[in-house]
Amino acid sequence: MIISTGTASGKSLAYLVPAVTSALEGGTVLYLTPTKALAADQLRGLRELRITQVRAATFDGDTPFEERAWVRQQANYVLTNPDMLHRALLPQHARWSSFFRRLRIVVVDECHGYRGVFGSHVAQILRRLRRVCSRYGAAPVFVLASATASEPAAFGTRLTGLEMDEVTSDASPKGSTTFALWEPPLTDLRGEGGAPVRRTATAETADLLADLVLAEVRTLAFVRSRRGAETVALTARAKLEDVAFGLPRHFPHLDPRSNPMSPSETLPSPHPEAPAAQEPLGASETLTTRPPSLESPDDLEAVDLPRGPSGSVALADLPSRVAAYRAGYLSEDRRGLERSLRSGELLGLATTNALELGVDVSGLDAVLIAGWPGTRASLWQQAGRAGRSGKDALAVLVARDDPLDTYLVHHPEALFGRPVEAIVLDPDNPYVLGPHLCAAAAEIPLADDDLPLFGPTAHALADDLVEQGMLRRRPTGYFWTRRERATDLADIRGSGGAPVQVVESATGRLLGTVDEPSAHTTVHTGAVYLHQGETFLVELLDLEAGVALVSASEPDYSTFARDVTEISVLSSIRSHQLGTACLTFGEVEVTRQVVSYLKRRVQTGEMLGDEPLDLPPRTLRTRAVWWTLPASEVAALAEDGIDLGGAAHAAEHASIGLLPLFATCDRWDIGGVSTELHADTGLLTVFVYDGHEGGAGFAERGYARATDWLTATREAIASCECERGCPSCIQSPKCGNGNEPLDKAGAIRLLDTLLAPVRVA
């Protein structure tokens, strides 16, 4: 069954009662979560029950090796993640036989996190789990829980392969949430091609976080990247230090020498020019879409949020009560930050989505979301972290200089009153299924009767694996006979390759890890790397050794990697006419190479330079959606003086930016290529492809929603107030061609042509 209800509605209790009951009756329970943080939080809650017969323990990468034998032999409530299930529990199922034989309940918590390639891998891992359980005579009940899932029963069936009952009614009490859509102002700075530059979302979020902490409002700031989370925390602390030590340049309105104000005072109403609040939608309401002034917290604090008693926090202590939290920290650091947040020792925490899921950090008053988080599901999940225990709350979505963020602050109807997206995953992707068939055969030889469990394509793929020498066919089934571990074939997080270790060159201290593909863009030579508020410059990235050497530094800029892409068509799966154009979904081969990185001033977004890089190209076979215009339409546009290459390039950038509104992805999950004349199509062509081997379902979703998607793309470009194009509409931060050429007006004409109905001869 699947429970799909709102944040803090009691889902944990709904599965905890039967799970604990099963443990008391002699059964075992397996709890799966996408993150270690949530497992640690659930363990804390179980131990607080003080039921001695429930022997709960986590089994993940942070579990000391000396404790793992005890967990395997004694625990009856094991909390782990799909990675450990894939790499440790299932391959060693004989050592876990007592646990699997008594397994009654499998809890799959926060299942909306299982989407795209990662979700497809988890779907196959759960099928392997069902097969192992069957080997030991167990048939556990699967209980799925998610605060936000569209068509939950259908999704649960796709994830587990089992029929699902769903629970969606939610009668839990909730306080109101005031929701603000916040667009940073344009600055006097100019970017590439003279485009206007907005103040960055991270700088704006850091200001808001400092304002709220100063008012003793307990706040969580969600930031898209590890680097961004560190930057927000570092900047907010610096601003609070200025206030604490009598340097009120960041907060002139809070200078105690000129305008004393107690943190406990109720701050003024919204700016008088701000639009009135829109009609409440459920427990939330839209405060405003575009605050006219962003110069003080007076524009934000329209909600009388709880505050501490006046003077209860010394100003000098405030900077130390702001921190950053992200994956990649050592486990003891993460657990310490979680305790400090729960206890109230921390007033402000900047985090990646590592804390998005149901970790109990009750008592938060406000959530800041720096940039669209990728899906409506994630948006409501993050906003739901504030106002727990029935309290009122504030949520602020701070728009980035990005086509999708710009579209949303101008079109709030695209957010409010809309259902969350369908969760996209494709368990039948051969690049996902193949490695798991090998892993399943290594666990228990695959009989013909087992194959339907893994999907309709499993039998044909198993025969292909035999031809490739990966499996051996015997009368009793398929066998894994190679020496290497079969589980190493599947990289379930979709990262590819072993993680790169980030090491401080002067001391040899291990700061953290980065997955190999991300290393090309985050720890390349010359990159700015942030760790727990400390800033480092990458001296050398050695991909062969899997090490990035860094040294402490304090640059006033951040870095953004840029790549170039080539694409070739392998096959067309399906196509149809779209106006006079042809829309196609098919298989492609993509070659990408990081060629340079931009240096951009942190506070202002000012461009400081573009430095070349020499990194190897990466090739993947994936799936794409593309559209072509016939030569007659192209000739008409050219006669009107349209820069065809610039128009197609601009439309490509904007369409990549808008696809996340229609598929559960973000713009870093996808890529694109545009050309006036592509070698394989012979026509003007724009491609948008999945950035994962074998595809992830995103391009297919774009194909299915092409009219809505491209209409929104056209509106996003047309509604931007810039003259010739800017990062809010057609410029891309990862464009390896330096955002040249781009033609904003031409892109609108091109999309108008694409979306026009077929003319009758």
Side-chain angles (χ1 to χ4, degrees):
M1 63 171 298
I2 181 167
I3 308 165
S4 180
T5 55
T7 307
S9 58
K11 290 185 299 298
S12 295
L13 192 63
Y15 61 70
L16 195 60
V17 170
V20 169
T21 301
S22 295
L24 292 175
E25 293 174 347
T28 58
V29 176
L30 182 66
Y31 172 91
L32 294 174
T33 170
T35 67
K36 296 176 186 177
L38 184 51
D41 183 71
Q42 288 285 321
L43 179 63
R44 180 184 59 82
L46 280 164
R47 287 178 173 170
E48 287 176 353
L49 295 175
R50 299 183 182 278
I51 303 175
T52 55
Q53 300 98 315
V54 177
R55 298 180 298 279
T58 55
F59 191 85
D60 56 33
D62 294 341
T63 306
F65 281 96
E66 57 271 19
E67 292 182 16
R68 296 188 178 190
W70 183 91
V71 175
R72 195 166 51 242
Q73 296 164 10
Q74 302 295 330
N76 57 7
Y77 199 124
V78 173
L79 303 98
T80 187
N81 51 58
D83 310 75
M84 290 298 285
L85 183 60
H86 167 63
R87 292 190 171 276
L89 275 75
L90 293 178
Q92 301 173 29
H93 61 85
R95 303 178 72 187
W96 289 83
S97 59
S98 176
F99 180 86
F100 283 127
R101 189 172 287 112
R102 296 179 293 133
L103 188 59
R104 303 273 186 86
I105 291 181
V106 176
V107 178
V108 185
D109 203 3
E110 303 294 351
C111 62
H112 80 278
Y114 300 125
R115 58 186 177 88
V117 171
F118 179 44
S120 302
H121 279 291
V122 172
Q124 294 298 348
I125 291 169
L126 294 179
R127 285 158 174 78
R128 286 165 50 202
L129 171 63
R130 289 172 52 203
R131 181 167 173 264
V132 166
C133 290
S134 179
R135 168 68 177 266
Y136 293 102
V141 173
F142 280 72
V143 182
L144 280 57
S146 172
T148 44
S150 177
E151 302 173 356
F155 163 65
T157 296
R158 194 152 178 76
L159 185 65
T160 64
L162 295 165
E163 291 297 319
M164 283 279 151
D165 285 333
E166 64 179 42
V167 175
T168 56
S169 57
D170 180 1
S172 58
K174 289 182 174 60
S176 65
T177 298
T178 299
F179 209 114
L181 302 180
W182 191 283
E183 184 175 50
L186 290 169
T187 67
D188 294 332
L189 297 172
R190 289 293 179 265
E192 289 182 313
V197 175
R198 288 193 187 278
R199 191 155 190 263
T200 64
T202 50
E204 202 80 354
T205 301
D207 281 0
L208 297 176
L209 180 60
D211 289 343
L212 290 164
V213 167
L214 195 63
E216 298 182 47
V217 176
R218 292 176 61 183
T219 305
L220 194 61
F222 284 103
V223 190
R224 292 290 299 275
S225 67
R226 296 178 172 192
R227 176 188 299 159
E230 300 277 8
T231 300
V232 166
L234 192 65
T235 306
R237 281 205 297 263
K239 293 176 182 295
L240 290 167
E241 285 170 358
D242 285 353
V243 175
F245 297 104
L247 300 172
R249 66 177 183 269
H250 295 300
F251 301 98
H253 54 287
L254 297 180
D255 184 355
R257 295 167 295 185
S258 60
N259 185 23
M261 182 178 71
S262 166
S264 65
E265 291 179 10
T266 300
L267 292 170
S269 297
H271 195 285
E273 298 176 14
Q278 296 185 12
E279 181 181 359
L281 295 143
S284 300
E285 58 177 303
T286 306
L287 172 64
T288 179
T289 56
R290 296 188 67 205
S293 169
L294 301 171
E295 297 174 356
S296 81
D298 297 357
D299 301 317
L300 171 66
E301 305 206 25
V303 188
D304 188 12
L305 294 169
R307 293 175 176 79
S310 178
S312 63
V313 178
L315 282 177
D317 294 337
L318 285 177
S320 65
R321 300 186 69 178
V322 175
Y325 179 106
R326 63 169 177 80
Y329 283 178
L330 299 178
S331 61
E332 55 267 29
D333 294 335
R334 294 198 304 271
R335 300 294 94 82
L337 288 169
E338 291 162 22
R339 286 192 298 270
S340 297
L341 187 61
R342 279 194 298 270
S343 68
E345 181 182 343
L346 282 177
L347 279 175
L349 188 68
T351 178
T352 60
N353 63 1
L355 277 180
E356 174 185 319
L357 305 180
V359 180
D360 182 10
V361 285
S362 56
L364 292 177
D365 305 314
V367 164
L368 305 174
I369 304 169
W372 171 247
T375 65
R376 293 185 193 90
S378 289
L379 179 74
W380 297 119
Q381 191 77 357
Q382 292 179 4
R385 304 321 312 272
R388 293 201 162 202
S389 304
K391 297 179 182 177
D392 291 352
L394 170 69
V396 183
L397 173 62
V398 182
R400 289 175 302 162
D401 209 359
D402 173 272
L404 179 52
D405 291 47
T406 302
Y407 177 82
L408 291 173
V409 297
H410 289 273
H411 298 82
E413 70 279 2
L415 288 179
F416 301 102
R418 294 281 187 93
V420 296
E421 305 88 345
I423 300 173
V424 176
L425 67 156
D426 181 14
D428 298 328
N429 177 340
Y431 292 94
V432 171
L433 177 56
H436 287 287
L437 289 178
C438 292
E443 290 154 8
I444 306 167
L446 271 171
D448 288 337
D449 291 344
D450 294 329
L451 292 172
L453 176 67
F454 294 94
T457 63
H459 204 292
L461 187 56
D463 290 336
D464 288 343
L465 292 169
V466 172
E467 291 183 11
Q468 296 170 29
M470 305 297 289
L471 295 178
R472 286 194 179 181
R473 185 75 159 103
R474 295 287 185 266
T476 54
Y478 299 85
F479 289 73
W480 174 262
T481 58
R482 299 165 72 106
R483 291 185 177 182
E484 58 264 37
R485 287 166 48 98
T487 52
D488 291 342
L489 297 175
D491 177 19
I492 75 169
R493 299 277 175 172
S495 56
V500 172
Q501 296 184 320
V502 183
V503 177
E504 187 175 19
S505 58
T507 63
R509 178 169 61 120
L510 175 63
L511 301 180
T513 60
V514 179
D515 61 81
E516 197 270 339
S518 296
H520 287 239
T521 57
T522 58
V523 290
H524 56 76
T525 301
V528 175
Y529 180 79
L530 291 145
H531 177 74
Q532 292 192 338
E534 297 180 72
T535 311
F536 298 86
L537 272 179
V538 179
E539 299 174 349
L540 175 68
L541 170 61
D542 188 336
L543 290 171
E544 290 187 5
V547 173
L549 297 177
V550 303
S551 58
S553 182
E554 294 186 1
D556 64 346
Y557 60 86
S558 56
T559 52
F560 298 85
R562 317 187 82 165
D563 60 27
V564 293
T565 307
E566 294 181 357
I567 193 166
S568 58
V569 176
L570 300 179
S571 68
S572 171
I573 296 174
R574 52 185 176 271
S575 63
H576 66 80
Q577 290 298 119
L578 187 66
T580 58
C582 181
L583 185 77
T584 306
F585 171 67
E587 295 185 345
V588 296
E589 184 173 85
V590 178
T591 302
R592 299 172 62 187
Q593 183 175 18
V594 174
V595 294
S596 66
Y597 65 94
L598 285 178
K599 296 164 69 174
R600 184 180 294 171
R601 203 176 298 281
V602 172
Q603 288 299 319
T604 64
E606 179 185 1
M607 307 291 291
L608 300 178
D610 190 358
E611 302 292 334
L613 287 171
D614 183 18
L615 287 168
R618 296 178 58 86
T619 300
L620 74 155
R621 292 167 66 101
T622 185
R623 294 186 169 188
V625 56
W626 64 91
W627 48 266
T628 57
L629 273 185
S632 58
E633 295 285 1
V634 171
L637 292 170
E639 288 175 5
D640 291 341
I642 300 296
D643 176 356
L644 295 172
H649 195 194
E652 171 220 326
H653 282 181
S655 60
I656 290 171
L658 268 292
L659 182 56
L661 192 59
F662 302 92
T664 47
C665 66
D666 62 42
R667 72 181 299 163
W668 303 100
D669 286 326
I670 52 180
V673 176
S674 58
T675 175
E676 283 186 64
L677 186 66
H678 191 268
D680 295 327
T681 66
L683 299 167
L684 183 148
T685 311
V686 174
F687 295 87
V688 176
Y689 61 85
D690 290 346
H692 300 276
E693 195 76 40
F698 306 137
E700 186 172 14
R701 188 76 176 170
Y703 177 84
R705 299 287 305 277
T707 300
D708 294 337
W709 165 38
L710 295 173
T711 299
T713 300
R714 193 256 181 223
E715 290 178 4
I717 299 172
S719 64
C720 184
E721 61 261 45
C722 73
E723 183 179 347
R724 293 184 298 167
C726 69
S728 292
C729 57
I730 62 173
Q731 289 189 347
S732 169
K734 57 180 184 175
C735 178
N737 296 314
N739 283 301
E740 289 290 344
L742 291 175
D743 184 345
K744 179 179 179 178
I748 296 172
R749 282 286 308 277
L750 198 62
L751 290 165
D752 283 340
T753 302
L754 188 69
L755 294 165
V758 178
R759 288 189 289 270
V760 179

